[in-house]
Amino acid sequence: MAKIKRINIDENPIPDTDPVPEKAQRHRDNSPEAKRKRKKIAIISAFCVMCLIGVVSYIVVYCLPEYTPANKNPMHKDALGQYGSTQSYIFYPIDDEIDITKVKEYQELDRLIHYTFGPETIAVTEETLGSYGEEIKFFYNYFELVKAGDYTAYNKLFTDKYYKENPYYVDFTFTQQMVYDINIEKLGQTEQDGKTVYNFDVTYKIFRNNGTFRNDIIDNMSKTLYFTLVEGNDGILIDSIQYYVK
């Protein structure tokens, strides 16, 4: 009987010479197409954030008016839309007991009246007031009453015609106003029906505006107003205050 030759097989075969890594490494795709895609995603994300901010701002300003001090204050609730304003603003808290002479930041601002006539602009002070005409003295008194919050005397500075055209300003009330950067520019002077008529452009700002006197401008903002003054037997009174349409 022929003998069968046994062949021994190694229990541990020779391994593959190219080992497989335990974890494949990930590389950032820096191809032009990938870069354009990432840039597009970033732009869309930024646009969405801006839209969200815009929506929130719109809700706060237009949809929640009851949270603005202007609408909480009965003194000037009916005066919304003053001087052509169609915007609602959020004002500083109303302080009926405020003494503006003790507000340090306000006292450091320019609180003088600057009178412009032609090419010249001159600061009007209490010491130099006597050298000016009655119309300039009128404005000096006007702004003193505004600063003092003396609405009783202020309401006597207008003609019957003014109140007939603006009935919502009858018995108008306001707190002390921190008015500054005041400029009055004389545009003309005429005689009409035995009365002298003065025309002025008037601008000023209100520091920490609380909206009781002006609710068409925010803190440290100004809007040019066109004043018509009439001088007759009752002295100088305001016949109209108009605004410029942009």
Side-chain angles (χ1 to χ4, degrees):
M1 178 180 291
K3 293 184 179 179
I4 299 175
K5 187 177 181 180
R6 180 184 293 273
I7 300 176
N8 294 325
I9 300 176
D10 192 350
E11 294 179 358
N12 297 313
I14 298 174
D16 192 345
T17 55
D18 295 325
V20 178
E22 293 182 0
K23 185 176 182 181
Q25 296 182 357
R26 299 179 62 184
H27 297 280
R28 181 185 180 95
D29 186 355
N30 289 320
S31 65
E33 181 64 26
K35 289 182 178 179
R36 282 194 296 270
K37 185 178 292 185
R38 287 195 294 269
K39 184 177 181 180
K40 183 178 181 180
I41 293 174
I43 292 174
I44 294 175
S45 299
F47 178 77
C48 291
V49 171
M50 292 176 63
C51 289
L52 179 61
I53 293 174
V55 170
V56 173
S57 300
Y58 179 87
I59 292 174
V60 171
V61 174
Y62 293 101
C63 301
L64 301 176
E66 65 272 16
Y67 290 101
T68 64
N71 282 351
K72 284 186 176 182
N73 180 20
M75 292 197 296
H76 67 299
K77 181 177 180 180
D78 296 332
L80 290 175
Q82 194 173 29
Y83 303 127
S85 175
T86 58
Q87 175 75 359
S88 296
Y89 297 109
I90 297 177
F91 301 102
Y92 275 77
I94 297 171
D95 183 0
D96 294 317
E97 304 299 325
I98 190 172
D99 181 356
I100 65 174
T101 64
K102 296 180 180 179
V103 179
K104 180 180 178 181
E105 296 87 346
Y106 173 59
Q107 297 302 312
E108 294 174 350
L109 298 174
D110 184 357
R111 293 168 285 113
L112 297 175
I113 295 177
H114 297 271
Y115 169 44
T116 298
F117 185 56
E120 289 188 297
T121 298
I122 306 171
V124 180
T125 65
E126 186 176 3
E127 291 73 23
T128 62
L129 188 60
S131 60
Y132 294 99
E134 293 302 315
E135 70 276 21
I136 307 305
K137 295 177 182 177
F138 173 87
F139 274 113
Y140 185 88
N141 179 57
Y142 174 91
F143 283 108
E144 287 299 301
L145 296 178
V146 172
K147 293 175 184 177
D150 189 349
Y151 51 81
T152 301
Y154 174 87
N155 289 334
K156 296 178 181 178
L157 301 180
F158 298 84
T159 63
D160 292 338
K161 171 178 170 289
Y162 177 88
Y163 283 123
K164 184 177 181 179
E165 295 175 351
N166 303 277
Y168 37 85
Y169 287 123
V170 175
D171 298 326
F172 184 57
T173 61
F174 53 89
T175 64
Q176 292 187 17
Q177 301 294 304
M178 293 184 276
V179 184
Y180 71 104
D181 282 358
I182 307 167
N183 183 268
I184 58 173
E185 180 179 3
K186 190 172 183 179
L187 303 178
Q189 176 178 330
T190 59
E191 299 295 326
Q192 297 179 15
D193 300 326
K195 297 181 180 180
T196 304
V197 179
Y198 305 94
N199 301 111
F200 282 85
D201 272 351
V202 179
T203 60
Y204 56 88
K205 299 175 183 177
I206 302 177
F207 182 66
R208 296 178 184 172
N209 184 17
N210 62 18
T212 60
F213 182 68
R214 291 283 299 275
N215 62 12
D216 63 316
I217 56 176
I218 56 176
D219 181 48
N220 301 332
M221 172 184 173
S222 66
K223 177 189 288 187
T224 303
L225 299 177
Y226 181 77
F227 276 66
T228 299
L229 309 182
V230 176
E231 183 175 12
N233 295 332
D234 297 327
I236 296 179
L237 297 174
I238 298 172
D239 203 44
S240 69
I241 301 177
Q242 298 171 294
Y243 60 91
Y244 287 93
V245 179
K246 294 184 179 180

